[in-house]
Amino acid sequence: MTRDLTITDVRLTPILVADPPLLNTQGVHQPYTPRLIVEIVTADGVTGVGETYGDTKYLELARPFAERLRGRRADDLNGLFTLADEVAVDASRVENAVDVGGLRGVQTADKLRLSVVSAFEVACLDALGKALGLPVHALLGGKVRDAVEYSAYLFYKWADHPEGVEREPDDWGAALDPAGVVAQAAQFKERYGFTSFKLKGGVFPPEQEIAAVRALAEAFPGHPLRLDPNGAWSVPTSLAVAEELADVLEYLEDPALGTAAMAEVAAGTEVPLATNMCVTTFAEIEEAFTRGAVQVVLSDHHYWGGLRNTQQLAAVCRTFGVAVSMHSNTHLGISLAAMTHVAATVPDLHHACDSHYPWQSEDVLTERLTFTGGKVTVPDAPGLGVELDRDRLAFLHRRWLDDDGALKDRDDAAAMRVADPGWVTPSVPRW
Ligand SMILES: O=C([O-])C(=O)C[C@H](O)[C@@H](O)C(=O)[O-]
Ligand SMILES: [Mg+2]
């Protein structure tokens, strides 16, 4: 049987998906957040899907990239990276050293390109898998586990978005103190069976967040716990928190901003440090590893450039005795499937990955992925093993089209200003 893997069509569909009022150090999530759904179609009529960030700066790159992709082959995965180099990045998009909106570390033109490439790589792998009758994990060398463990991703949260703001209701309630955080964790455990918990910190003064983690440790003895203030603390504050929580933390995630500060913290504590902010590109690895700044690198396959780059990151980490796992940003089922396929192929994955997925009440799939016992079963169907729901996609795209521009770019500080007009993004360190 011959297959024609030539890419004949590429579809880009920006969407807005409902997001609850989750708090972080920069503000609060907007009621709707942008994502980009990528579809590639081969000459044989096979469609592959991918997903990535949907803010304007990603769309601006995805469009010329998609133009160049037509006529190339879905199995030319390496070619995606050379193609990406041909697409110019508007310098104003990377002029800020840190991507404050996304809490994703240093922003560079390459990282923007890789975040776009990742969606096309996943779409190509999905199409290739469907064409060959193989799951994506098989294309990545084969799974070494049948299910991937995720941790509950706890957030301080308002009961609802501010009055007068259009939004979808959610049934999680508020979580603004230790009791609220424990109640949220209990819901996560009951609904999805998660056995490890990550709390997004940097929202309240550290004593309050220490109290919340202590309350979690008491309510869920023996469950791995993490706290992630997204670099909001000074080195002395980070060290003080590490000392307070040393007996209950699996790791502390990005307590202070940047490799130098993380190295100082690491030198003063036995608590392992994890990051999705100071090691976000291959170029940042050498300094961080040689300075012993981090003990766990949390990949986000979007900004690392896809699933095969994530495997390469895992190999580099293994070489240096640094652990690897995954963090996430707001995402839908296509990305959860992609994360699950690649995580299934990483031999030494010793920490549960984290996922925002339970916070997303909307999706573009005919069937949502499910967590059982805190795990997602690795799909064995061809490709990613997910199916696009075109009506849902059209509905969420319509919402994007109807938006006047206020929500097309994630801006947690702007969302906070709706409730607190005087709010400015806190300077770092905040405490
Ligand atoms: O682990 C992390 O740093 C994240 O998940 C980054 C996200 O942007 C998170 O802070 C959020 O969604 O507010
Ligand atoms: Mg983090």
Side-chain angles (χ1 to χ4, degrees):
M1 178 181 165
T2 57
R3 294 177 189 88
D4 189 347
L5 294 170
T6 309
I7 298 170
T8 52
D9 198 10
V10 184
R11 289 191 286 267
L12 302 179
T13 314
I15 57 175
L16 282 178
V17 289
D19 210 9
L22 307 178
L23 297 160
N24 59 38
T25 199
Q26 292 175 352
V28 63
H29 286 206
Q30 292 173 311
Y32 299 104
T33 202
R35 294 296 283 175
L36 173 64
I37 305 301
V38 168
E39 293 172 78
I40 64 144
V41 185
T42 68
D44 281 347
V46 177
T47 301
V49 294
E51 171 192 342
T52 190
Y53 300 109
D55 311 61
T56 312
K57 61 188 172 192
Y58 300 98
L59 292 184
E60 281 173 354
L61 277 181
R63 289 187 182 118
F65 188 87
E67 284 308 314
R68 287 173 167 77
L69 204 57
R70 286 193 183 87
R72 300 178 70 106
R73 287 172 54 99
D75 57 345
D76 182 14
L77 301 175
N78 291 332
L80 295 175
F81 295 88
T82 7
L83 202 61
D85 288 341
E86 294 171 13
V87 180
V89 173
D90 175 352
S92 69
R93 296 293 185 196
V94 289
E95 68 197 6
N96 298 321
V98 173
D99 179 8
V100 285
L103 306 149
R104 294 161 205 156
V106 172
Q107 188 65 272
T108 63
D110 273 349
K111 207 157 117 190
L112 266 187
R113 286 195 187 94
L114 290 176
S115 300
V116 168
V117 166
S118 70
F120 290 94
E121 188 226 37
V122 168
C124 286
L125 284 166
D126 186 36
L128 203 52
K130 285 173 178 161
L132 299 174
L134 291 171
V136 166
H137 67 74
L139 302 177
L140 296 173
K143 62 180 179 180
V144 295
R145 57 185 64 82
D146 292 322
V148 171
E149 188 173 1
Y150 287 86
S151 72
Y153 198 158
L154 312 178
F155 276 84
Y156 287 109
K157 177 184 176 295
W158 294 331
D160 215 336
H161 287 284
E163 201 62 36
V165 167
E166 193 197 318
R167 79 277 196 187
E168 310 306 311
D170 71 73
D171 60 357
W172 290 93
L176 295 165
D177 55 18
V181 169
V182 168
Q184 191 186 88
Q187 285 184 71
F188 265 103
K189 190 169 172 154
E190 190 188 311
R191 293 181 191 187
Y192 308 106
F194 293 118
T195 55
S196 60
F197 301 102
K198 159 172 168 173
L199 175 62
K200 171 65 29 164
V203 176
F204 294 112
E207 315 77 72
Q208 293 182 37
E209 299 188 349
I210 289 171
V213 174
R214 280 260 156 242
L216 284 170
E218 226 168 88
F220 305 99
H223 289 48
L225 303 176
R226 305 111 184 237
L227 177 58
D228 173 15
N230 281 114
W233 302 334
S234 66
V235 170
T237 302
S238 304
L239 286 169
V241 176
E243 195 177 325
E244 283 284 332
L245 295 175
D247 56 327
V248 294
L249 282 183
E250 176 187 13
Y251 55 69
L252 196 51
E253 185 173 328
D254 288 307
L257 196 64
T259 295
M262 288 284 278
E264 264 194 81
V265 179
T269 179
E270 293 296 305
V271 176
L273 301 189
T275 188
N276 65 276
M277 293 181 78
C278 78
V279 180
T280 60
T281 63
F282 285 100
E284 290 166 327
I285 288 178
E286 183 182 358
E287 188 192 352
F289 286 13
T290 49
R291 295 179 76 167
V294 298
Q295 288 69 54
V296 187
V297 174
L298 304 171
S299 162
D300 173 324
H301 76 266
H302 304 93
Y303 54 62
W304 280 93
L307 307 189
R308 294 179 320 130
N309 272 12
T310 299
Q311 290 182 308
Q312 288 180 25
L313 168 66
V316 175
C317 288
R318 190 182 314 132
T319 310
F320 286 89
V322 171
V324 72
S325 185
M326 276 187 230
H327 99 116
S328 73
N329 264 281
T330 303
H331 66 91
L332 300 178
I334 297 172
S335 281
L336 183 61
M339 288 164 73
T340 303
H341 277 280
V342 69
T345 70
V346 173
D348 32 19
L349 188 72
H350 302 306
H351 303 280
C353 302
D354 66 58
S355 169
H356 280 60
Y357 194 59
W359 292 114
Q360 264 46 75
S361 56
E362 299 182 320
D363 206 338
V364 292
L365 301 181
T366 52
E367 210 177 309
R368 278 175 73 87
L369 279 82
T370 52
F371 297 92
T372 310
K375 294 181 177 176
V376 174
T377 303
V378 182
D380 283 324
L384 289 171
V386 298
E387 201 189 321
L388 206 53
D389 180 333
R390 299 213 157 270
D391 292 341
R392 287 305 297 166
L393 186 66
F395 174 81
L396 300 177
H397 180 53
R398 168 54 51 199
R399 188 188 281 151
W400 183 88
L401 288 172
D402 289 346
D403 175 63
D404 60 5
L407 300 174
K408 285 192 167 78
D409 295 287
R410 175 174 164 180
D411 189 340
D412 298 359
M416 182 59 103
R417 276 192 289 277
V418 177
D420 175 359
W423 177 264
V424 281
T425 306
S427 53
V428 176
R430 190 169 171 191
W431 287 287

